[in-house]
Amino acid sequence: MHTTINNLRIAYTDEGSGPAVVLIHGFPLSRAMWQPQVAALSAAGFRVVAPDLRGFGDSEAPREGYSMDQFADDIVALMNHLGIGRAVVGGMSMGGYILLNLLKRHPRKVAGAAFLLTRCNADDAAGKTRRAELAAKVRAGERALVEKAFADILFAPRTLKEQPQIVDTVRSWIQKTSIAGLAGSLEAMAQRPDYCARLGEFDHPALVMGADDDQIVPPETIGPFATALPNSTSCVIPGAGHMANLEQPQSVNACLLKFVRLCSQRFDLRDNNGRDV
C-alpha cells in the first residue's frame, strides 16, 4: 500500500484489525524486516502498520528533508491518515530514536513504547564525525560502504554461520535503500539529541528489548535503559544479534505480544476517527 504523506509517497503495510501497533524499522533497512512480527501480531488480533520511512524501501526518496523530527511527523501523519488516534509504537535501532522523538513531541499518539535493540544516548564527537564522513562518501557514489560497515555486525556470529539466507535477505534490503535515504539518515542520526537524562519524563508503559549477541547495542545497556523509564519492563533475546526479530522471531514475538496485550488492556486503542487523542 502507499499514500501521500507530507507531500511524499510513503509505502506501508497495514494488516489485521483491532488495537493498533505501529512498527518503525531501523537503518539501513525497510518495513520488510517486520514480516514475522506483522504475521504474529495480526494473527493475535491486532492491527499492525509498518511504514517504509522516507528514503527507504518503496517510499519516495527526497534529496533533503531527513531528521528525527521529520521521520516522527511522517509517522503521525500516516497514523492520522489511517484513522489511528493512538497506538503501541515499536522502534528498532534508528526506529527507537524516532520513537523517543514521538514521546517528546507527540506523546498522546503513543499508548506504549517498545524500544527494540536501540539506545537513548546521542553520538559522541567521534561518532558524529564517522557518520558525517560515511554520508559524504555515500553521496559521492560509495554506497557499498554502508553494506560493508553494517551487514555483518547486524547479526550474531551464530546467525552468520547457521542462517546465511537471512543475512543475504538483509543485504538485499540494504542494497535497495536509496543514496539520499542512506546519507540523509546518517546525518539525522548524528544530530539526534541525547534522551538518557530525560527518560524519567516518559511515563508511558515501555518495553526495552535487547539481544545477548548484539554487537551494536550491547546487552548490558538494556538494564539501565529500562530502569530509567518509570513504567517499563525488559527482555534480552538469547542467541540473537541486532536483527533479533529475524534471528529469533518466536522469542521476540512472545516478548512483544505480551507487552502489546498489556497496553491494549490499559488503553483504548480502537480510536479510529483519526483525532490526535
Side-chain angles (χ1 to χ4, degrees):
M1 300 179 183
H2 70 274
T3 189
T4 299
I5 294 295
N6 293 329
N7 299 314
L8 209 67
R9 182 182 182 276
I10 296 294
Y12 63 96
T13 295
D14 183 0
E15 292 190 14
S17 61
V21 180
V22 175
L23 299 175
I24 310 173
H25 66 77
F27 177 92
L29 308 167
S30 74
R31 76 187 194 276
M33 66 163 283
W34 294 118
Q35 292 167 357
Q37 288 66 53
V38 171
L41 290 169
S42 61
F46 295 93
R47 179 185 184 185
V48 189
V49 174
D52 278 335
L53 298 170
R54 56 174 58 208
F56 294 82
D58 296 318
S59 287
E60 191 175 345
R63 291 175 60 87
E64 300 178 346
Y66 297 89
S67 68
M68 294 300 125
D69 282 1
Q70 187 61 69
F71 285 136
D73 289 348
D74 289 346
I75 297 294
V76 170
L78 179 61
M79 289 174 66
N80 289 340
H81 171 76
L82 296 175
I84 298 172
R86 76 172 91 194
V88 176
V89 181
M92 179 267 191
S93 200
M94 184 179 76
Y97 309 154
I98 299 168
L99 176 52
L100 286 165
N101 189 290
L102 282 169
L103 287 174
K104 176 188 174 185
R105 298 175 54 246
H106 303 283
R108 297 185 69 184
K109 301 298 288 184
V110 183
F115 296 99
L116 312 180
L117 298 307
T118 191
R119 59 178 77 237
C120 58
N121 59 291
D123 287 346
D124 59 17
K128 290 178 187 290
T129 297
R130 286 194 297 271
R131 288 199 201 270
E133 291 175 347
L134 183 54
K137 290 177 180 178
V138 168
R139 285 204 168 94
E142 298 182 71
R143 59 163 295 136
L145 291 175
V146 174
E147 180 184 347
K148 181 178 180 181
F150 283 87
D152 288 346
I153 64 170
L154 289 174
F155 302 97
R158 173 181 173 182
T159 303
L160 291 171
K161 180 179 179 180
E162 298 179 3
Q163 301 186 74
Q165 72 281 3
I166 292 179
V167 179
D168 290 342
T169 297
V170 172
R171 285 181 183 274
S172 73
W173 297 339
I174 297 173
Q175 292 164 359
K176 187 177 179 180
T177 303
S178 69
I179 288 176
L182 292 172
S185 297
L186 284 165
E187 293 164 348
M189 287 189 285
Q191 296 304 315
R192 75 186 191 277
D194 193 307
Y195 283 98
C196 291
R198 303 189 59 178
L199 293 178
E201 302 172 15
F202 304 139
D203 60 357
H204 298 66
L207 168 68
V208 183
M209 182 185 296
D212 64 1
D213 262 336
D214 192 341
Q215 301 178 65
I216 297 176
V217 181
E220 58 267 23
T221 66
I222 301 305
F225 192 165
T227 299
L229 290 161
N231 186 18
S232 71
T233 186
S234 66
C235 59
V236 176
I237 306 301
H242 200 58
M243 296 300 301
N245 71 300
L246 296 177
E247 297 172 85
Q248 298 293 337
Q250 291 184 337
S251 296
V252 169
N253 292 348
C255 180
L256 185 57
L257 186 55
K258 180 179 179 180
F259 175 70
V260 170
R261 283 175 170 153
L262 174 65
C263 292
S264 68
Q265 292 169 1
R266 295 187 57 181
F267 294 93
D268 180 7
L269 303 185
R270 296 178 184 271
D271 181 355
N272 292 322
N273 59 20
R275 292 183 298 113
D276 189 355
V277 298

